[in-house]
Amino acid sequence: MNQTHTNELSETIKSKNPVSTIENPGFAITWLQRQLRELEIPVMIIIEGLEAAGKGKVINDLLMNLDPRGFSMYTILPEKGVEKRYPWLKRFWDLSPSAKKMTVLKGSWYRSLIIDSVHKKRDKKERSKFIEQIQTFENSLYAEGFLLCKIFLEVSHKKQRRRFKKIDSNPSSSWKINKKKWKEHKHYDRSMQAAHEVFDKCSSPYPWHVIPSDDMHAAINQSLNIIASLMNEASDGITNGNRLPGRQFISDNSTQDTSKSITSSSSYRLDQMDLSKSISREDYNNIIKSKQKKLRDLEFALYKKKISTVIVYEGWDAAGKGGNIKRVTRHLEPDGYEVIPIAAPDKEEKSHHYLWRFWKAMPRSGHIAIFDRSWYGRVLVERVEGFATDEQWNRAYAEINDMEQYLVKNGVLLFKFFLHISPDEQLRRFQERQENPKKRWKITEEDWRNREKREIYETAINQMLERTSTALTPWHVVASNSKHYARIHVIDTLIQKMSETLKI
Amino acid sequence: MNQTHTNELSETIKSKNPVSTIENPGFAITWLQRQLRELEIPVMIIIEGLEAAGKGKVINDLLMNLDPRGFSMYTILPEKGVEKRYPWLKRFWDLSPSAKKMTVLKGSWYRSLIIDSVHKKRDKKERSKFIEQIQTFENSLYAEGFLLCKIFLEVSHKKQRRRFKKIDSNPSSSWKINKKKWKEHKHYDRSMQAAHEVFDKCSSPYPWHVIPSDDMHAAINQSLNIIASLMNEASDGITNGNRLPGRQFISDNSTQDTSKSITSSSSYRLDQMDLSKSISREDYNNIIKSKQKKLRDLEFALYKKKISTVIVYEGWDAAGKGGNIKRVTRHLEPDGYEVIPIAAPDKEEKSHHYLWRFWKAMPRSGHIAIFDRSWYGRVLVERVEGFATDEQWNRAYAEINDMEQYLVKNGVLLFKFFLHISPDEQLRRFQERQENPKKRWKITEEDWRNREKREIYETAINQMLERTSTALTPWHVVASNSKHYARIHVIDTLIQKMSETLKI
């Protein structure tokens, strides 16, 4: 929906709202939840604070005023079990709400920096890396129009001690205060120092609201007030004094002239690639099986070392992505890999941040995820077809680079293959599919339409290759006029880099 | 879609299928996957067998022939981490596919009976309980028209040993054969004996297909053949010689005359209940808070003892379910409970077994799940409005009883409250909502329409109460003309039974 529509709608709803935000924040929240849902603004509320700061009490009061159909509440504990086997931000991406939902978190992605810092010291460099990754994450939410309320309940050292003793004296709750908690209490200053570093460095675009919570009654009231007024601002299209970015343009894009926007040039020239490389059927048959078995051995070795692998396939229609993937997986152990076919996003996926569905599919340690098409859809089909605005797909290069850097720096082995075929070869394959009853289902009207847009796709692909090939995350453009050659080439690339990584 | 339509569709698709099921089972599976998807028949394939029986190899060949968009593959390992904190069948309910999907499992719900029996002995009675629960589960899938293929790969003791040695001799896979696996090898006979008990007792409605797998080439071929022919039969509407039950009637129900089917009587008489019970506002205010805090203490104690609680709310529109739930949760720790509002199923939920969404929401040990409406929708709104066929809602009483018995026998504390109000009181509340701008959003046309159907709803409720109140799973019908009385009554009921369970 566009800007004007947004404001009109919000006026209509507000005029019906019978309660002032200030006088009765709880009831205002009830109203605002419906309003933001209508406006399709996703809301994330994090209630942070040290142990016994009163997070649960604030959340319970908040929950009393929310329609249970519209929110989910989660408690963020230290990573455990299978959570440890993913890049650490993944679980927060997974929890990010859709446009019609609210996520309430007790604790947050700051937990490891603030509370856990008592138990696990991190040096300055490591802390900086965490903070940088958090900034990237929050920027990404901001760019897509999320409302994020960040509340920190500040309990004094003395009051924390008193609350610990009270909890300890109740036989039904005394188990909650264990040695670990007392240690956190003892190192109160260290946690608070870490908290202040976070307030300093992570206050933009979403500021922190620090609320003293020795007096719980006042803290609850103040928290609800802040939440209500932030929700109110968001319903006016305002975040921290600025108009909400991103989201409000989403449904607006069918009107733009997409052909115009594809003009900027790229130094990358797909059309200058040598596509004649090939391999004889005999050679292919002689070597493929042993290479596939080698891949299986590497799959085991990567599993053993808990290294996870992400393989991205992009390429022209009929370039042979499916067949290539089948040859890669032919002798793998099926427990260890998953093929993730990416089509147009469904309703649920569309209502989330566009990266959400990819984060959800990221492999746990030791596993292999193979994406048959990927997040690059944002700068390819979504760009060309106008499903993303100019602002959105232009921004996507940096967002994608950020995500991939994050993955690689967190130990993921990332491969990106673009299977390239010539227009003539594509035509030949289309015609073959059309004529062969066993293959006819593979070809649709859309494939023919896409073919007519070869030129604008080529511009988009060239720019993608140029802007998202980095030293850590290079693209491999694979000459695929010969399917046999392309398969061997991909498998060889995988074997080489996997072996290097494993030092075998 | 109805029976006739189903067959027509399947003929159309079959006439296009260019490949014989027998000559080329792999390619036939590719076709049949699309066909069953079109027919909306959910497919579950389980590949069982002892270690090194070749499950992975069979699955990899199967996967090569499947469209990745249409299936998910999972490996069933012994329960670990958070999985242990749920009723054991929950994870299999969660994995049950929607009407347009296929689930392929390496291992299955039989694992604990067959392979794990080597490590953890179970007495005859316990095994019987497991087998019974599995039978109930499979019957439930069968009744809703699932295709379930059960394949057991039988490796000989000698061949298993040889495969172990081979795996052990490859440095990249040797870690796979650990002491535990050798112990399983040593007790091969015990596992196979357990397997044979399973073949005997769990072969209806879905039979086992036991396939010798010393020769992997033959085993793969035979497995794909069986899968192809079972899929083929299912596409003809046949399961094990019988017409597929259940599902084909789903879209058929708009034509039935629902008023007619609500005729059978029940000995339960909702209209004879005393609704005059009440409590003064003063008394209520005096006692509610201490009872709420008592509930919080019990929440902690149940958490500590890892007992999970399921609370079901049903009741007339405007009976006060929402307000009652808020009073129950008012002082609970928000980490410990979740309110699950049940509305009409969405598209995803509709395409699964109707119990699937409730299984998904079952609490892990130590947690409380509060259902605001529940699976009883099947025998209430779905029955009255004709969203379920006569056959379906009549069958539901037994299915619901089975599920609840299963939960209770697995240690879940289950409460079922029906909030009852008189027609006059309901009218008064509807009018109040209509007149109060703060409450107007709570009342819709549908509420007024439902009110006109009071009599048929009353019949359905009486039958529900009669047929699903058992000694282990009783209904509490709560006089709710006085909201205050109803809230105290519910909280008292919770406190009493929770305290009893905890023996405090």
Side-chain angles (χ1 to χ4, degrees):
Chain A
M1 79 194 48
N2 65 33
Q3 192 60 53
T4 328
H5 181 196
T6 304
N7 282 341
E8 270 168 24
L9 187 55
S10 117
E11 295 300 329
T12 325
I13 298 171
K14 268 210 304 191
S15 67
K16 282 197 259 171
N17 186 338
V19 207
S20 137
T21 308
I22 306 302
E23 283 165 29
N24 190 339
F27 201 73
I29 287 171
T30 311
W31 273 91
L32 287 160
Q33 182 191 11
R34 283 203 295 282
Q35 191 159 343
L36 293 181
R37 184 186 160 89
E38 199 105 353
L39 295 168
E40 305 200 354
I41 295 174
V43 181
M44 233 169 162
I45 298 177
I46 65 181
I47 310 289
E48 259 300 354
L50 306 190
E51 189 69 24
K55 301 188 289 292
K57 288 208 163 59
V58 168
I59 287 175
N60 224 354
D61 259 78
L62 173 61
L63 264 43
M64 288 299 125
N65 295 294
L66 293 178
D67 178 347
R69 273 160 298 199
F71 77 89
S72 300
M73 185 264 163
Y74 304 93
T75 301
I76 305 304
L77 300 171
E79 288 175 337
K80 58 185 169 190
V82 84
E83 284 169 350
K84 282 190 190 160
R85 303 186 51 187
Y86 292 99
W88 76 278
L89 269 172
K90 178 182 187 294
R91 60 173 171 157
F92 301 108
W93 271 104
D94 289 353
L95 295 178
S96 68
S98 74
K100 301 205 162 199
K101 294 274 179 179
M102 230 166 138
T103 300
V104 178
L105 295 187
K106 181 175 172 190
S108 69
W109 43 92
Y110 290 99
R111 184 186 167 107
S112 64
L113 278 173
I114 301 174
I115 301 174
D116 297 349
S117 66
V118 169
H119 306 290
K120 190 185 173 178
K121 283 192 196 170
R122 290 201 171 81
D123 62 22
K124 214 174 156 185
K125 200 177 141 197
E126 213 184 344
R127 291 182 65 83
S128 294
K129 192 183 99 178
F130 265 78
I131 286 174
E132 199 179 295
Q133 289 172 345
I134 286 173
Q135 285 163 342
T136 305
F137 174 56
E138 292 188 3
N139 282 334
S140 209
L141 297 179
Y142 184 76
E144 286 288 313
F146 281 67
L147 170 61
L148 173 63
C149 309
K150 303 195 297 195
I151 289 182
F152 186 91
L153 299 175
E154 186 169 9
V155 64
S156 68
H157 198 188
K158 212 167 123 188
K159 188 77 182 181
Q160 189 187 44
R161 185 177 193 83
R162 241 184 279 154
R163 287 189 184 155
F164 272 33
K165 294 223 157 154
K166 195 178 162 201
I167 296 168
D168 208 19
S169 70
N170 179 343
S172 69
S173 60
S174 57
W175 55 273
K176 292 176 91 182
I177 302 296
N178 52 24
K179 266 192 189 168
K180 212 174 147 186
K181 298 289 156 69
W182 279 113
K183 186 176 172 194
E184 288 170 18
H185 175 70
K186 195 177 150 203
H187 295 285
Y188 175 93
D189 287 342
R190 197 195 296 167
S191 305
M192 283 311 294
Q193 202 183 328
H196 280 281
E197 184 194 7
V198 157
F199 303 154
D200 277 356
K201 296 193 177 154
C202 303
S203 268
S204 169
Y206 297 108
W208 274 102
H209 302 272
V210 181
I211 298 177
S213 68
D214 282 5
D215 173 352
M216 269 325 292
H217 186 73
I220 288 171
N221 208 32
Q222 210 182 331
S223 300
L224 295 197
N225 249 307
I226 284 168
I227 291 168
S229 77
L230 289 173
M231 288 173 81
N232 202 31
E233 282 183 5
S235 83
D236 287 344
I238 295 169
T239 306
N240 318 320
N242 299 313
R243 309 302 301 173
L244 263 185
R247 188 162 293 269
Q248 64 267 32
F249 301 109
I250 282 181
S251 321
D252 192 12
N253 47 38
S254 49
T255 53
Q256 31 166 355
D257 181 354
T258 55
S259 58
K260 255 201 322 205
S261 55
I262 317 267
T263 49
S264 41
S265 71
S266 161
S267 64
Y268 200 96
R269 292 292 300 273
L270 208 54
D271 58 359
Q272 289 180 354
M273 188 174 179
D274 175 14
L275 286 171
S276 67
K277 290 172 193 162
S278 72
I279 184 173
S280 75
R281 174 176 291 270
E282 204 190 339
D283 285 351
Y284 174 80
N285 285 336
N286 281 338
I287 56 178
I288 183 86
K289 197 165 174 186
S290 69
K291 285 177 190 288
Q292 286 168 333
K293 297 213 156 162
K294 174 76 185 156
L295 262 188
R296 190 190 47 199
D297 285 350
L298 289 164
E299 178 195 21
F300 289 154
L302 290 166
Y303 178 84
K304 189 75 176 70
K305 288 219 171 172
K306 294 197 185 294
I307 296 169
S308 52
T309 305
V310 170
I311 305 175
V312 170
Y313 277 84
E314 292 285 351
W316 299 102
D317 292 331
K321 293 190 291 299
N324 202 305
I325 291 171
K326 281 196 178 164
R327 276 21 170 245
V328 166
T329 57
R330 184 65 189 89
H331 287 288
L332 297 184
E333 190 80 28
D335 325 35
Y337 76 89
E338 189 175 7
V339 177
I340 299 128
I342 299 297
D346 63 26
K347 211 178 140 197
E348 169 82 356
E349 291 165 344
K350 241 182 236 160
S351 74
H352 276 91
H353 193 291
Y354 81 97
L355 290 175
W356 176 77
R357 59 174 171 153
F358 306 109
W359 277 102
K360 263 184 58 173
M362 288 302 164
R364 62 182 182 282
S365 64
H367 285 245
I368 300 172
I370 302 175
F371 288 89
D372 185 353
R373 301 195 188 277
S374 69
W375 41 91
Y376 284 101
R378 193 71 163 183
V379 297
L380 298 175
V381 58
E382 292 186 35
R383 166 185 177 172
V384 173
E385 301 295 339
F387 301 142
T389 63
D390 287 1
E391 187 275 327
Q392 286 177 324
W393 65 255
N394 268 304
R395 162 160 51 88
Y397 297 114
E399 288 172 333
I400 287 172
N401 284 337
D402 281 341
M403 180 174 81
E404 292 182 355
Q405 297 283 327
Y406 172 83
L407 292 174
V408 172
K409 285 181 184 165
N410 280 275
V412 173
L413 203 49
L414 173 71
F415 296 90
K416 306 191 290 187
F417 296 109
F418 184 87
L419 305 196
H420 184 31
I421 52 173
S422 66
D424 291 350
E425 177 62 20
Q426 190 187 42
L427 182 62
R428 208 189 55 69
R429 292 186 189 176
F430 276 18
Q431 282 165 345
E432 192 198 330
R433 287 180 177 186
Q434 202 87 51
E435 283 154 21
N436 183 340
K438 290 193 195 174
K439 292 190 175 175
R440 201 170 294 146
W441 63 276
K442 282 182 155 186
I443 182 124
T444 66
E445 278 303 309
E446 210 190 325
D447 293 321
W448 290 103
R449 274 198 303 279
N450 286 344
R451 192 174 145 75
E452 284 163 22
K453 296 180 187 160
R454 172 105 187 178
E455 216 173 312
I456 30 179
Y457 267 106
E458 196 156 320
T459 309
I461 294 163
N462 280 330
Q463 284 183 6
M464 169 190 87
L465 295 172
E466 184 181 80
R467 296 187 189 180
T468 61
S469 253
T470 74
L472 275 179
T473 62
W475 271 102
H476 302 274
V477 181
V478 183
S480 305
N481 273 7
S482 156
K483 288 182 180 176
H484 289 162
Y485 173 82
R487 292 169 190 166
I488 297 294
H489 184 77
V490 164
I491 293 178
D492 280 344
T493 309
L494 294 171
I495 289 176
Q496 196 201 329
K497 180 137 170 224
M498 287 174 170
S499 306
E500 264 173 35
T501 304
L502 290 161
K503 297 187 188 77
I504 52 176
Chain B
M1 80 194 47
N2 64 33
Q3 191 63 49
T4 327
H5 182 196
T6 303
N7 282 341
E8 271 165 24
L9 187 54
S10 117
E11 295 301 329
T12 324
I13 298 171
K14 268 210 304 191
S15 66
K16 281 197 261 169
N17 187 339
V19 205
S20 137
T21 308
I22 305 303
E23 282 165 29
N24 189 339
F27 201 74
I29 287 171
T30 310
W31 273 91
L32 287 161
Q33 183 191 11
R34 285 203 295 283
Q35 190 160 346
L36 293 181
R37 184 185 160 90
E38 198 107 351
L39 295 167
E40 304 199 355
I41 296 174
V43 180
M44 234 170 162
I45 299 177
I46 63 182
I47 309 290
E48 261 299 357
L50 306 191
E51 188 70 23
K55 301 190 287 291
K57 289 210 163 58
V58 168
I59 287 175
N60 223 355
D61 259 78
L62 173 61
L63 264 44
M64 289 297 125
N65 295 295
L66 293 178
D67 178 348
R69 275 161 297 201
F71 78 89
S72 301
M73 185 263 163
Y74 303 94
T75 300
I76 305 304
L77 300 171
E79 287 175 339
K80 58 184 170 193
V82 85
E83 284 169 350
K84 283 190 190 160
R85 301 185 53 187
Y86 292 98
W88 76 277
L89 268 172
K90 177 181 188 295
R91 60 173 172 157
F92 301 108
W93 272 103
D94 290 353
L95 294 179
S96 68
S98 74
K100 301 203 161 203
K101 294 273 180 183
M102 229 165 138
T103 301
V104 178
L105 296 186
K106 183 177 170 186
S108 69
W109 41 93
Y110 289 100
R111 186 187 164 103
S112 65
L113 278 173
I114 300 175
I115 301 173
D116 297 351
S117 67
V118 170
H119 305 290
K120 190 183 173 181
K121 283 195 197 170
R122 291 203 171 82
D123 62 21
K124 212 174 156 186
K125 201 177 143 196
E126 213 185 342
R127 292 183 63 84
S128 293
K129 193 181 100 178
F130 265 77
I131 286 174
E132 201 179 293
Q133 290 172 344
I134 286 173
Q135 284 164 343
T136 305
F137 173 56
E138 292 188 1
N139 281 333
S140 210
L141 298 180
Y142 184 76
E144 286 287 313
F146 280 67
L147 170 61
L148 173 62
C149 310
K150 303 194 299 196
I151 289 182
F152 185 91
L153 299 175
E154 186 168 8
V155 64
S156 67
H157 197 189
K158 212 166 125 189
K159 188 77 181 181
Q160 189 186 43
R161 185 176 195 83
R162 242 183 278 155
R163 288 187 185 156
F164 272 33
K165 296 226 155 152
K166 194 178 163 201
I167 297 168
D168 208 20
S169 69
N170 178 344
S172 68
S173 61
S174 58
W175 54 273
K176 293 176 89 182
I177 301 297
N178 52 25
K179 265 193 189 167
K180 214 175 145 187
K181 297 289 157 68
W182 278 113
K183 185 176 171 192
E184 287 169 18
H185 174 69
K186 194 180 150 201
H187 294 286
Y188 175 93
D189 287 342
R190 198 195 293 166
S191 305
M192 284 310 295
Q193 202 183 328
H196 280 281
E197 184 193 7
V198 157
F199 303 154
D200 275 358
K201 295 194 179 154
C202 302
S203 268
S204 166
Y206 297 107
W208 275 101
H209 301 273
V210 181
I211 297 178
S213 68
D214 282 5
D215 172 352
M216 269 325 291
H217 186 74
I220 289 171
N221 206 34
Q222 208 182 334
S223 300
L224 295 197
N225 248 309
I226 283 167
I227 291 168
S229 77
L230 288 173
M231 288 174 82
N232 201 33
E233 283 184 3
S235 83
D236 287 345
I238 296 168
T239 307
N240 318 321
N242 298 315
R243 309 302 301 174
L244 265 185
R247 187 163 292 268
Q248 64 266 33
F249 302 108
I250 284 181
S251 320
D252 192 11
N253 48 40
S254 49
T255 54
Q256 34 166 352
D257 182 355
T258 55
S259 59
K260 252 199 327 204
S261 54
I262 316 267
T263 48
S264 41
S265 71
S266 160
S267 64
Y268 200 96
R269 294 292 300 274
L270 209 53
D271 59 359
Q272 290 183 354
M273 189 175 178
D274 176 13
L275 286 172
S276 68
K277 289 170 192 161
S278 72
I279 182 173
S280 75
R281 174 176 293 269
E282 205 191 340
D283 285 351
Y284 174 80
N285 285 336
N286 282 338
I287 57 177
I288 183 85
K289 197 166 173 184
S290 70
K291 285 180 190 287
Q292 285 167 333
K293 297 213 157 162
K294 174 77 186 157
L295 261 189
R296 190 191 44 200
D297 286 350
L298 289 164
E299 180 196 20
F300 289 153
L302 289 167
Y303 178 82
K304 189 75 174 77
K305 289 221 171 169
K306 295 196 185 294
I307 295 169
S308 51
T309 306
V310 170
I311 305 176
V312 170
Y313 277 84
E314 291 285 352
W316 298 102
D317 291 332
K321 292 189 291 296
N324 202 305
I325 291 170
K326 281 196 177 163
R327 277 19 171 245
V328 165
T329 58
R330 183 67 190 87
H331 287 286
L332 297 184
E333 190 80 28
D335 326 34
Y337 75 89
E338 189 176 6
V339 178
I340 298 128
I342 299 297
D346 64 24
K347 211 180 139 195
E348 169 82 356
E349 291 164 345
K350 239 180 238 163
S351 75
H352 276 90
H353 193 289
Y354 80 98
L355 289 174
W356 177 77
R357 59 174 172 155
F358 305 110
W359 276 104
K360 262 185 61 170
M362 288 304 164
R364 62 181 184 281
S365 65
H367 285 246
I368 301 172
I370 302 175
F371 287 88
D372 184 353
R373 302 198 189 275
S374 68
W375 42 91
Y376 284 101
R378 192 73 164 181
V379 296
L380 298 176
V381 57
E382 291 186 35
R383 166 184 177 172
V384 172
E385 301 295 338
F387 301 142
T389 62
D390 287 3
E391 186 274 328
Q392 285 177 324
W393 65 254
N394 269 304
R395 161 159 54 88
Y397 297 115
E399 286 172 334
I400 287 172
N401 284 337
D402 282 340
M403 179 174 80
E404 292 182 354
Q405 297 282 329
Y406 172 82
L407 292 174
V408 172
K409 285 182 184 164
N410 280 274
V412 174
L413 204 49
L414 173 72
F415 295 91
K416 305 190 291 187
F417 296 108
F418 185 87
L419 304 196
H420 184 32
I421 54 173
S422 66
D424 291 351
E425 177 62 19
Q426 189 186 42
L427 181 62
R428 208 189 55 69
R429 293 185 188 178
F430 275 17
Q431 283 165 346
E432 193 198 329
R433 289 180 175 187
Q434 202 86 53
E435 283 154 22
N436 183 340
K438 290 193 198 175
K439 291 189 175 172
R440 200 171 294 147
W441 62 275
K442 281 181 155 187
I443 182 126
T444 64
E445 279 302 310
E446 209 191 325
D447 293 321
W448 289 104
R449 273 197 304 276
N450 286 344
R451 193 175 143 75
E452 282 162 24
K453 296 181 187 159
R454 173 105 188 176
E455 214 173 313
I456 30 179
Y457 266 107
E458 196 156 318
T459 309
I461 294 163
N462 280 331
Q463 283 182 6
M464 169 190 86
L465 295 171
E466 186 179 80
R467 296 187 189 180
T468 62
S469 255
T470 74
L472 275 179
T473 63
W475 271 101
H476 301 275
V477 181
V478 184
S480 305
N481 274 6
S482 157
K483 287 183 181 176
H484 290 163
Y485 173 81
R487 291 167 190 167
I488 299 293
H489 184 77
V490 164
I491 294 178
D492 281 345
T493 308
L494 293 172
I495 290 176
Q496 197 200 329
K497 179 132 172 228
M498 286 174 170
S499 307
E500 265 174 31
T501 305
L502 290 160
K503 299 187 186 75
I504 52 175

